[in-house]
Amino acid sequence: MEFEFQSLKKRHALAILSWRYPAPYDVYNFAPETHQADLRYLIDPKNAFFAILNRQGELEGYCSFGADGQVPGGNYSAQALDLGMGIRPDLVGQGRGKAYVLAVARYGTQRYQTRQLRVTIAAFNQRAQRVWQKLGFEPVETFEKIEDGESSGKKFIVMIGRV
C-alpha cells in the first residue's frame, strides 16, 4: 500500500470528527459538543496533524507528530518523536494496521529527521500494541492518565522503537 501525507485540511478534519468507532474503541470518538474546538485544534499547523490518503486521494486516516501523542501522566523525558494516529473506522480490523503504522513511522522519521519514535497506547487496545510490537517497538512504561490533577484510572502504555 502506498499513502500520501498532507497537512490536515478542514474537509479532512470534518470527516474525522464524524467517525464513530464501536465499543470499546468508542473512547476515540470526538464528542459532538466539542466539535468546533476540536476542528480548530486539528487544523492548527502547530499541532502537526496530517491526513493519510490512499492512491485515489481518499482519506483513510490521520496522524500527528509531537506533543499531541503524549498523555498526561506519562514520562516523556527520553528523546523521541511522539506519534499519534487514527484509521477510518470501516478500515479498522482488516489486517492493514502494519501498513499504516509503517507508513506513518517512515513519514515521521523522514520529515523530522529522527529515528527514535514513541507511541502511547490505551492499555486495553491490544490490537494496536500488537501492530507496533511487530515493528519492533517495546513497552517502556505503563501509567495511569492524569485528569484534573488526579489519576483517572485509565491505563496507558508507552512504547519506543525505530523504523
Side-chain angles (χ1 to χ4, degrees), residues 90-109:
D90 64 310
L91 300 175
V92 173
Q94 297 182 11
R96 297 196 245 178
K98 187 175 178 182
Y100 290 119
V101 164
L102 192 55
V104 168
R106 286 182 176 158
Y107 182 74
T109 57

Side-chain angles (χ1 to χ4, degrees), residues 11-24:
R11 71 179 184 279
H12 301 134
L14 288 170
I16 291 163
L17 291 171
S18 72
W19 292 354
R20 292 291 170 259
Y21 298 94

